[in-house]
Coordinates of all heavy atoms in Angstrom, one line a residue:
L1 N 14.0 -33.5 -57.0 CA 12.5 -33.4 -56.9 C 11.9 -34.0 -58.2 O 10.7 -34.3 -58.2 CB 12.1 -31.9 -56.8 CG 12.6 -31.2 -55.5 CD1 12.2 -29.8 -55.5 CD2 12.1 -32.0 -54.3
S2 N 12.6 -33.9 -59.3 CA 12.0 -34.4 -60.5 C 13.2 -34.9 -61.4 O 14.2 -34.3 -61.5 CB 11.2 -33.3 -61.2 OG 10.9 -33.8 -62.5
T3 N 12.9 -36.0 -62.1 CA 13.9 -36.5 -63.0 C 13.4 -36.4 -64.5 O 14.2 -36.5 -65.4 CB 14.3 -38.0 -62.7 OG1 13.1 -38.8 -62.7 CG2 15.0 -38.1 -61.4
A4 N 12.1 -36.2 -64.6 CA 11.5 -36.1 -65.9 C 11.7 -34.8 -66.6 O 11.8 -34.7 -67.8 CB 10.0 -36.4 -65.8
R5 N 11.8 -33.7 -65.9 CA 11.9 -32.4 -66.4 C 13.0 -31.6 -65.6 O 13.2 -31.9 -64.5 CB 10.6 -31.6 -66.4 CG 9.5 -32.2 -67.1 CD 8.2 -31.4 -67.1 NE 8.4 -30.1 -67.7 CZ 8.3 -29.9 -69.0 NH1 7.9 -30.9 -69.8 NH2 8.4 -28.7 -69.5
P6 N 13.5 -30.6 -66.2 CA 14.5 -29.7 -65.4 C 13.7 -29.1 -64.2 O 12.5 -28.9 -64.3 CB 14.9 -28.6 -66.4 CG 14.6 -29.2 -67.7 CD 13.4 -30.1 -67.6
L7 N 14.4 -29.0 -63.1 CA 13.9 -28.5 -61.9 C 13.1 -27.1 -62.1 O 13.7 -26.2 -62.6 CB 15.0 -28.3 -60.8 CG 14.5 -28.1 -59.4 CD1 13.7 -29.3 -58.9 CD2 15.8 -28.0 -58.5
F8 N 11.9 -27.1 -61.7 CA 11.1 -25.9 -61.8 C 10.9 -25.4 -63.2 O 10.8 -24.2 -63.5 CB 11.6 -24.7 -60.9 CG 11.6 -25.1 -59.4 CD1 12.8 -25.4 -58.8 CD2 10.4 -25.2 -58.7 CE1 12.8 -25.7 -57.4 CE2 10.4 -25.6 -57.4 CZ 11.6 -25.8 -56.7
D9 N 10.9 -26.2 -64.2 CA 10.8 -25.9 -65.6 C 9.5 -25.1 -65.8 O 9.5 -24.1 -66.5 CB 10.8 -27.1 -66.5 CG 10.8 -26.8 -67.9 OD1 11.6 -25.9 -68.4 OD2 9.9 -27.3 -68.6
Y10 N 8.4 -25.5 -65.3 CA 7.1 -24.8 -65.5 C 7.1 -23.4 -65.0 O 6.5 -22.5 -65.5 CB 5.9 -25.6 -65.0 CG 5.7 -26.9 -65.7 CD1 5.8 -28.1 -65.1 CD2 5.2 -26.8 -67.0 CE1 5.6 -29.3 -65.8 CE2 4.9 -28.0 -67.7 CZ 5.1 -29.2 -67.1 OH 4.9 -30.3 -67.8
F11 N 7.9 -23.2 -63.9 CA 7.9 -21.9 -63.3 C 8.4 -20.8 -64.2 O 8.0 -19.7 -64.2 CB 8.9 -22.0 -62.0 CG 8.9 -20.8 -61.2 CD1 7.8 -20.5 -60.3 CD2 9.9 -19.9 -61.2 CE1 7.8 -19.4 -59.5 CE2 9.9 -18.8 -60.4 CZ 8.9 -18.5 -59.5
S12 N 9.3 -21.2 -65.1 CA 9.9 -20.2 -66.1 C 8.9 -19.8 -67.1 O 9.1 -18.8 -67.8 CB 11.2 -20.8 -66.7 OG 10.8 -21.9 -67.5
H13 N 7.8 -20.5 -67.2 CA 6.8 -20.2 -68.2 C 5.7 -19.3 -67.7 O 4.8 -18.9 -68.5 CB 6.2 -21.5 -68.8 CG 7.2 -22.3 -69.5 ND1 7.7 -22.0 -70.7 CD2 7.8 -23.5 -69.1 CE1 8.6 -22.9 -71.1 NE2 8.7 -23.8 -70.1
I14 N 5.7 -18.9 -66.4 CA 4.7 -18.0 -65.9 C 4.9 -16.6 -66.4 O 6.0 -16.1 -66.3 CB 4.7 -18.0 -64.3 CG1 4.5 -19.4 -63.8 CG2 3.8 -17.0 -63.8 CD1 4.7 -19.6 -62.3
S15 N 3.9 -16.0 -67.0 CA 4.1 -14.7 -67.6 C 3.4 -13.6 -66.8 O 3.6 -12.4 -67.1 CB 3.5 -14.7 -69.0 OG 2.1 -15.0 -69.0
K16 N 2.6 -13.9 -65.8 CA 2.0 -12.9 -65.0 C 3.0 -12.3 -63.9 O 3.8 -13.1 -63.4 CB 0.8 -13.5 -64.2 CG -0.3 -14.0 -65.1 CD -1.1 -12.9 -65.7 CE -2.3 -13.5 -66.5 NZ -3.0 -12.6 -67.2
P17 N 2.8 -11.0 -63.6 CA 3.7 -10.5 -62.5 C 3.5 -11.3 -61.2 O 2.4 -11.6 -60.8 CB 3.2 -9.1 -62.3 CG 2.5 -8.7 -63.6 CD 1.9 -10.0 -64.1
T18 N 4.6 -11.7 -60.6 CA 4.5 -12.6 -59.4 C 5.5 -12.2 -58.4 O 6.6 -11.8 -58.7 CB 4.8 -14.1 -59.9 OG1 3.8 -14.4 -60.9 CG2 4.8 -15.0 -58.8
T19 N 5.2 -12.4 -57.1 CA 6.1 -12.2 -56.0 C 6.2 -13.5 -55.3 O 5.2 -14.1 -55.0 CB 5.6 -11.1 -55.1 OG1 5.5 -9.8 -55.8 CG2 6.5 -10.9 -53.9
V20 N 7.4 -13.9 -55.0 CA 7.7 -15.1 -54.2 C 8.2 -14.7 -52.9 O 9.2 -14.0 -52.8 CB 8.7 -16.0 -55.0 CG1 9.0 -17.2 -54.2 CG2 8.2 -16.3 -56.4
I21 N 7.5 -15.2 -51.8 CA 8.0 -14.9 -50.5 C 8.2 -16.2 -49.7 O 7.3 -17.1 -49.7 CB 6.9 -14.1 -49.7 CG1 6.5 -12.8 -50.5 CG2 7.3 -13.8 -48.3 CD1 5.4 -12.1 -50.0
Y22 N 9.4 -16.3 -49.2 CA 9.8 -17.5 -48.4 C 10.2 -17.1 -47.0 O 10.8 -16.0 -46.8 CB 10.9 -18.3 -49.0 CG 10.5 -19.3 -50.0 CD1 10.6 -19.0 -51.4 CD2 10.2 -20.6 -49.6 CE1 10.2 -20.0 -52.3 CE2 9.8 -21.6 -50.5 CZ 9.9 -21.2 -51.9 OH 9.5 -22.2 -52.8
G23 N 10.0 -17.9 -46.0 CA 10.6 -17.7 -44.7 C 12.1 -18.2 -44.7 O 12.4 -19.2 -45.4
E24 N 12.9 -17.5 -44.1 CA 14.4 -17.9 -44.0 C 14.5 -19.3 -43.5 O 15.4 -20.0 -44.0 CB 15.1 -16.9 -43.1 CG 16.5 -17.3 -42.9 CD 17.2 -16.4 -41.8 OE1 16.5 -15.9 -40.9 OE2 18.4 -16.3 -41.8
L25 N 13.7 -19.7 -42.6 CA 13.9 -21.0 -41.9 C 12.8 -22.0 -42.4 O 12.5 -23.0 -41.7 CB 13.8 -20.9 -40.4 CG 14.8 -19.9 -39.8 CD1 14.6 -19.7 -38.3 CD2 16.3 -20.2 -40.1
D26 N 12.3 -21.9 -43.6 CA 11.3 -22.7 -44.1 C 11.8 -24.2 -44.1 O 12.7 -24.6 -44.7 CB 10.9 -22.4 -45.6 CG 9.7 -23.1 -46.1 OD1 9.6 -24.3 -45.8 OD2 8.9 -22.4 -46.8
E27 N 11.1 -25.0 -43.3 CA 11.5 -26.3 -43.0 C 11.2 -27.3 -44.2 O 11.7 -28.4 -44.2 CB 10.8 -26.9 -41.7 CG 9.3 -26.9 -41.8 CD 8.6 -25.6 -41.4 OE1 9.2 -24.5 -41.5 OE2 7.4 -25.7 -40.9
Y28 N 10.5 -26.8 -45.2 CA 10.3 -27.7 -46.4 C 11.2 -27.4 -47.5 O 11.1 -28.0 -48.6 CB 8.8 -27.5 -46.8 CG 7.8 -28.0 -45.8 CD1 7.1 -27.1 -45.0 CD2 7.6 -29.3 -45.6 CE1 6.2 -27.5 -44.0 CE2 6.7 -29.8 -44.7 CZ 6.0 -28.8 -43.9 OH 5.1 -29.3 -42.9
C29 N 12.1 -26.5 -47.3 CA 13.1 -26.1 -48.4 C 14.4 -26.9 -48.4 O 15.2 -26.8 -49.3 CB 13.4 -24.6 -48.3 SG 12.0 -23.6 -48.8
G30 N 14.6 -27.7 -47.3 CA 15.8 -28.5 -47.2 C 17.0 -27.6 -46.8 O 16.8 -26.5 -46.3
E31 N 18.1 -28.1 -47.2 CA 19.4 -27.4 -46.8 C 19.4 -26.0 -47.5 O 19.1 -25.8 -48.7 CB 20.6 -28.2 -47.3 CG 21.9 -27.6 -47.0 CD 23.0 -28.5 -47.5 OE1 22.9 -29.7 -47.5 OE2 24.1 -27.9 -47.8
G32 N 19.7 -25.0 -46.7 CA 19.7 -23.6 -47.2 C 18.5 -22.8 -47.0 O 18.4 -21.6 -47.2
G33 N 17.4 -23.5 -46.6 CA 16.1 -22.9 -46.3 C 15.6 -22.0 -47.5 O 15.8 -22.3 -48.6
G34 N 14.8 -21.0 -47.1 CA 14.1 -20.2 -48.1 C 15.1 -19.5 -49.0 O 14.8 -19.3 -50.2
A35 N 16.2 -19.1 -48.5 CA 17.2 -18.4 -49.4 C 17.7 -19.3 -50.5 O 17.8 -18.8 -51.7 CB 18.4 -17.9 -48.6
A36 N 17.9 -20.5 -50.3 CA 18.3 -21.5 -51.4 C 17.2 -21.6 -52.4 O 17.4 -21.6 -53.6 CB 18.7 -22.8 -50.8
A37 N 15.9 -21.7 -51.9 CA 14.8 -21.9 -52.8 C 14.6 -20.6 -53.7 O 14.4 -20.7 -54.9 CB 13.5 -22.1 -52.0
I38 N 14.8 -19.5 -53.1 CA 14.7 -18.2 -53.9 C 15.8 -18.2 -54.9 O 15.6 -17.8 -56.1 CB 14.7 -17.0 -53.0 CG1 13.4 -16.8 -52.2 CG2 15.1 -15.7 -53.7 CD1 13.3 -15.7 -51.2
N39 N 17.0 -18.6 -54.6 CA 18.1 -18.6 -55.5 C 17.8 -19.5 -56.7 O 18.1 -19.1 -57.9 CB 19.4 -18.9 -54.9 CG 19.9 -17.9 -54.0 OD1 19.6 -16.7 -54.1 ND2 20.7 -18.2 -52.9
I40 N 17.2 -20.6 -56.5 CA 16.9 -21.6 -57.5 C 15.8 -20.9 -58.4 O 15.9 -21.0 -59.7 CB 16.4 -22.9 -57.0 CG1 17.6 -23.6 -56.3 CG2 15.8 -23.8 -58.1 CD1 17.1 -24.8 -55.4
L41 N 14.8 -20.4 -57.8 CA 13.7 -19.8 -58.6 C 14.1 -18.6 -59.4 O 13.7 -18.3 -60.5 CB 12.5 -19.4 -57.7 CG 11.9 -20.6 -57.0 CD1 10.8 -20.2 -56.0 CD2 11.3 -21.6 -58.0
K42 N 15.0 -17.8 -58.9 CA 15.6 -16.6 -59.6 C 16.3 -17.0 -60.9 O 16.2 -16.2 -61.8 CB 16.5 -15.8 -58.7 CG 15.9 -14.9 -57.7 CD 16.9 -14.1 -57.0 CE 16.3 -13.1 -56.0 NZ 17.4 -12.4 -55.3
L43 N 16.9 -18.2 -60.9 CA 17.5 -18.6 -62.1 C 16.5 -18.9 -63.2 O 16.8 -18.7 -64.4 CB 18.3 -19.9 -61.8 CG 19.5 -19.8 -60.9 CD1 20.1 -21.1 -60.6 CD2 20.6 -18.9 -61.6
R44 N 15.3 -19.4 -62.8 CA 14.2 -19.7 -63.7 C 13.4 -18.4 -64.2 O 12.9 -18.4 -65.3 CB 13.3 -20.7 -63.1 CG 13.9 -22.1 -63.0 CD 13.9 -22.7 -64.4 NE 14.5 -24.0 -64.3 CZ 14.9 -24.6 -65.4 NH1 14.8 -24.1 -66.6 NH2 15.5 -25.8 -65.3
Q45 N 13.3 -17.5 -63.2 CA 12.4 -16.3 -63.5 C 13.0 -15.1 -62.8 O 12.5 -14.7 -61.7 CB 11.0 -16.7 -63.1 CG 9.9 -15.8 -63.6 CD 9.9 -15.7 -65.1 OE1 10.6 -14.9 -65.6 NE2 9.0 -16.4 -65.8

């Protein structure tokens, strides 16, 4: 998705309480769907 910065780098700088909700079959998440997206984001925050 990006070659200039680490994937979702800005996400790790959010300091406000946040909830991330994905659909399991989210068609915009690519392989692995929403679960894969959540796993990536959990690494950052």
Side-chain angles (χ1 to χ4, degrees):
L1 299 178
S2 172
T3 56
R5 300 183 64 84
L7 193 59
F8 299 108
D9 183 52
Y10 290 115
F11 189 75
S12 64
H13 298 286
I14 299 170
S15 60
K16 301 283 184 188
T18 302
T19 298
V20 177
I21 303 172
Y22 272 98
E24 174 189 25
L25 306 175
D26 190 318
E27 60 274 26
Y28 295 103
C29 290
E31 186 179 325
I38 286 174
N39 288 334
I40 292 167
L41 296 176
K42 278 183 178 179
L43 293 173
R44 289 284 179 196
Q45 197 53 280

